[in-house]
Amino acid sequence: MITEDMRSLFEAITDSAVLLDRGGRIIEWNQGATALFGYPKKEVIGRSLNLVYQQNHPFPKIIQETLPSQKKWISETGFYRKNGTLGICNTIASLITSKQNNKTFALITHQNITSHKKIEKELKTVQQQTLGDLNQCLELFYLNNASFVKTLASAEQLEKKLRESELRFHLLAENATDIISRHTPGGHYLYVSPSCKTLLGYSPEELLGSSANKFVHYDDIGKFKRAFNRRNETSSHQMLTYRMRRKDGEYRWFESNIRIIRDESSHLIHEVQTASRDVTDYIMDKKARLRGQQLAHVFRLSTMEEMASGMAHEISQPLAAIVNYTQGCVRYLQKESHDPTQLAEIMNKAVAQAERAGEVIHRLKNFFCKGQLIKTTCKINSLIREAVTLIRNELNRTKTKIEFDLEKDIQIISADRIQLQQVILNLVQNAMEAMHDMDFGQRKIQIQTRTLNQKSIEVTVSDTGPGFSKEMVHKVFQPFFTTKANGRGMGLAICRSIIEAHGGQFTIHPNTNNHSWIRFILPFH
């Protein structure tokens, strides 16, 4: 045990002080230790001091081997307070000997340096950031200095204009609702204003270094690239309207004022600056959407003549069955004796055939009924087979063979059944008309469904006809363009509009190596 004088001196220490016996167990614990670690003395007496440390220290070995030779053992150690918070302290261990009983103890003192370490870490971070900013500033300085040497006579005036321009640019960009951006001649983002988060869904950090070309709609990419590479034009400004894909996959219309910055000496394009605003609501207004719906409705009505014979054939079968069952009931009732159970069975068969005819009529009515886009969960394979039944009679009449390559257990989608059936019907009808001049045995249509990835499926329609040439692929979506004698020039444009309204993509592959197809991609949700 320690003497009273030693205990008094021990308690007088304001820092954390702990006495250990030669086995490393706590035998004394002052108020400073309680304040630092949160443990009262009675909870720690007889326990190892490693109770409070992040990692264990071999105190018996330190006391027996290290301290006698080095006199003091100093370490920067992490510790846990009783409430679980983490801290850092300087730990100093030394040997003391009691003159009264000639016993040796280890005195462990702790100086709390948690705040010091935190400040030190923050200072290092600030220092690194400052050095990084300084290096960046120095690089910019060296580049600008090389340019200033060439134009020394006008350096002061150029510097003044540059500062004013940068100040105006940053004030405008940081507070503008439009997207202000700077690009390399190849389209890569050098700077983009914070408004891109609202309009495109991407943060400025996500766009920096990436090319704007990959976000532009495939139909608009040609004119977008030409606007960035106007090498021989004297005008530095151009207005351009195009579609860009948001982070959520939606395409939005943008109008950009594109300004070309050229090098004064070489006149090569040095940088491209753009100011872009979302004009989707202006372009796709209510009247335009209404006209699109009416156009699709007119197209559905125009197919009624081609489907009439097939629907009549499908309805005539249940109607004939109803007549036969009803006449059988009449003859059965005219007999002197009849079985009610057998009579009810015949009538139930007649009812079933009537319901079948009603379903056919209801399906035809829904197909030609115009309305808004109404999505429901549906199976794409069932939807395709149902659409083909509507035109089965026409397939038989033209001796056209149709093959299904449908993936089993394909993901259920959310879509407007009627509009997707309209797409399938239009593509099948186009295929039949394209093979009109071919021999009967060569007329074949294939419909394939596949899971594309974790978010979408694809439907491919191909035939053995001549397909589209590369030149024709770029024209088929133009209004009223048609290759048929009696064509309306609206079908494929309407098909693409329907697929894009579902958040998908519509693609035509031109005829290469006697193989062409039309494919559309639909998201799961």
Side-chain angles (χ1 to χ4, degrees), residues 169-186:
F169 178 83
H170 284 288
L171 287 175
L172 174 64
E174 297 298 324
N175 297 282
T177 56
D178 296 344
I179 299 178
I180 309 299
S181 57
R182 295 168 46 228
H183 303 261
T184 65

Side-chain angles (χ1 to χ4, degrees), residues 200-349:
L200 289 176
Y202 294 96
S203 64
E205 292 76 14
E206 291 177 296
L207 294 178
L208 289 180
S210 60
S211 175
N213 297 337
K214 71 178 185 179
F215 303 104
V216 178
H217 194 281
Y218 47 83
D219 284 348
D220 302 328
I221 189 63
K223 63 180 180 182
F224 186 84
K225 288 182 177 180
R226 287 192 295 273
F228 271 55
N229 292 279
R230 290 177 286 128
R231 303 185 183 278
N232 300 323
E233 294 183 20
T234 56
S235 175
S236 61
H237 290 269
Q238 180 182 356
M239 295 297 296
L240 184 67
T241 303
Y242 55 97
R243 286 161 289 183
M244 288 193 74
R245 187 181 71 252
R246 284 175 45 86
K247 190 173 184 178
D248 58 9
E250 178 189 4
Y251 279 97
R252 304 284 294 178
W253 284 95
F254 282 85
E255 183 180 72
S256 293
N257 185 352
I258 300 176
R259 181 169 178 256
I260 303 296
I261 307 299
R262 299 181 183 273
D263 186 83
E264 292 184 359
S265 57
S266 64
H267 297 288
L268 296 175
I269 298 176
H270 173 67
E271 182 178 299
V272 181
Q273 298 177 356
T274 67
S276 309
R277 65 178 55 188
D278 190 332
V279 293
T280 305
D281 292 338
Y282 175 76
I283 294 177
M284 304 296 292
D285 57 16
K286 292 183 179 179
K287 290 184 179 180
R289 287 194 294 270
L290 179 60
R291 286 196 297 269
Q293 293 168 1
Q294 291 173 341
L295 186 62
H297 178 60
V298 170
F299 181 78
R300 287 198 298 270
L301 292 177
S302 66
T303 62
M304 183 178 290
E305 179 182 357
E306 301 173 16
M307 295 171 54
S309 60
M311 295 305 301
H313 176 74
E314 191 171 351
I315 294 174
S316 64
Q317 291 180 351
L319 291 180
I322 292 171
V323 172
N324 291 334
Y325 286 132
T326 305
Q327 289 176 346
C329 287
V330 172
R331 289 193 299 271
Y332 194 67
L333 289 172
Q334 290 175 350
K335 296 181 180 180
E336 294 182 357
S337 61
H338 50 267
D339 185 1
T341 303
Q342 187 174 6
L343 183 62
E345 182 181 351
I346 297 174
M347 292 303 296
N348 287 333
K349 291 181 179 180

